[in-house]
Amino acid sequence: MNLPEVVSREEWLDARRKFLEEEKAFTRARDELNANRRRLPMVRVEKEYVFHGPDGDLGLPDLFDGRRQLIVYHFMFHPDWDAGCRGCSKVTDHIGHLAHLHARDTNLVLVSRAPSAKLEAFKRRMGWTVPWFSSQDSDFNYDYHVTLDESVKPVEYNYRRSPEISGDRSGLSVFLRDGEDVFHTYSTYARGTDLLTSTSNYLDLTPLGRQEHWEQPPGRSNSGPGEWWRLHDEY
């Protein structure tokens, strides 16, 4: 295995101080990226959607639960599946107590196409508490480009026309409520949700990283992207 070079403490401190400047530059660049995200325009949501939950049917404004902002994680769970996507489950394992989001007038929910009964059963198995709703009888997944079917809607994923792919995908969408009006402000897909998984971010701090083949430097990996993921009760 290609391990890091062994050096003296003084040499390590010199290298670490130099790298600290790169970390500070990244933090400043991230702050500017987040500011530019906040500067994005928004689109009024005109269509009415119906979501099924354990307590009945709700519209999109109801998912805010009285708050100003709403984050929807598009969890991959096809209606025919008996268990949710491993990657989406890994993301959901890292969702903390929602009280901290609620303190900033923001709600977070999961939305999937599987029927509510399946979602609730899997939620109990995983021990999650985050609210989870089914979009099975609405266009929500298609309109926000996480269910891809050329016969229903032109296929676009991650802002590119992609008619060669189909099926369910993951993603995240953000909405803002202003009085009775709801606006779509942001959506991200693929590695755009990478920051949501703290295990990956913790591993990024280690010398072996995520131990996936795409990472540099080479010689420290043992799997392809996501190949090692399991539902947390299957490890």
Side-chain angles (χ1 to χ4, degrees):
M1 180 176 285
N2 177 23
L3 297 179
E5 179 185 5
V6 178
V7 297
S8 68
R9 181 69 177 178
E10 290 74 19
E11 291 172 306
W12 180 88
L13 281 171
D14 182 59
R16 180 64 186 93
R17 289 178 179 127
K18 290 177 180 177
F19 182 62
L20 179 60
E21 295 306 310
E22 294 185 49
E23 289 183 318
K24 288 181 176 180
F26 172 76
T27 297
R28 291 190 292 269
R30 184 180 59 189
D31 289 342
E32 184 60 24
L33 180 74
N34 290 335
N36 288 338
R37 184 185 295 110
R38 292 190 290 272
R39 294 185 181 105
L40 286 171
M42 59 187 184
V43 179
R44 190 188 309 273
V45 179
E46 305 283 2
K47 185 180 289 189
E48 293 186 4
Y49 299 101
V50 176
F51 301 92
H52 309 298
D55 299 320
D57 293 347
L58 299 171
L60 182 61
D62 300 313
L63 301 190
F64 286 77
D65 197 24
R67 297 178 177 88
R68 188 79 186 274
Q69 301 187 121
L70 172 67
I71 300 170
V72 172
Y73 182 73
H74 302 285
F75 190 116
M76 288 172 58
F77 201 142
H78 189 280
D80 295 338
W81 298 352
D82 293 322
C85 158
R86 291 181 301 175
C88 294
S89 296
K90 183 166 167 278
V91 170
T92 306
D93 281 336
H94 293 82
I95 296 175
H97 200 293
L98 295 184
H100 304 293
L101 282 174
H102 293 170
R104 294 287 84 193
D105 211 10
T106 302
N107 199 27
L108 185 152
V109 302
L110 311 178
V111 171
S112 305
R113 283 203 304 143
S116 182
K118 281 190 176 182
L119 304 182
E120 287 301 305
F122 191 64
K123 178 179 172 180
R124 287 193 297 272
R125 172 183 165 184
M126 294 289 100
W128 298 330
T129 58
V130 60
W132 202 353
F133 301 95
S134 171
S135 61
Q136 187 177 16
D137 298 321
S138 81
D139 296 331
F140 187 75
N141 274 48
Y142 298 98
D143 289 348
Y144 291 92
H145 304 285
V146 287
T147 296
L148 311 176
D149 185 340
E150 194 73 17
S151 69
V152 176
K153 192 180 186 72
V155 169
E156 177 187 290
Y157 187 64
N158 207 17
Y159 303 99
R160 293 183 179 180
R161 182 87 169 91
S162 305
E164 71 282 357
I165 63 174
S166 62
D168 289 273
R169 295 291 189 273
S170 62
L172 179 144
S173 293
V174 180
F175 302 88
L176 177 71
R177 186 171 58 85
D178 186 21
E180 298 300 315
D181 296 322
V182 172
F183 300 89
H184 175 223
T185 66
Y186 181 73
S187 285
T188 190
Y189 309 92
R191 289 200 66 193
T193 61
D194 209 33
L195 290 174
L196 303 179
T197 308
S198 58
T199 292
S200 298
N201 296 300
Y202 279 118
L203 290 173
D204 286 343
L205 302 176
T206 70
L208 300 186
R210 305 181 193 188
Q211 301 161 58
E212 297 179 348
H213 296 327
W214 61 273
E215 292 179 292
Q216 295 294 323
R220 303 183 188 183
S221 61
N222 58 18
S223 72
E227 290 179 355
W228 60 276
W229 299 343
R230 300 290 183 271
L231 299 179
H232 63 236
D233 60 0
E234 293 179 345
Y235 281 108

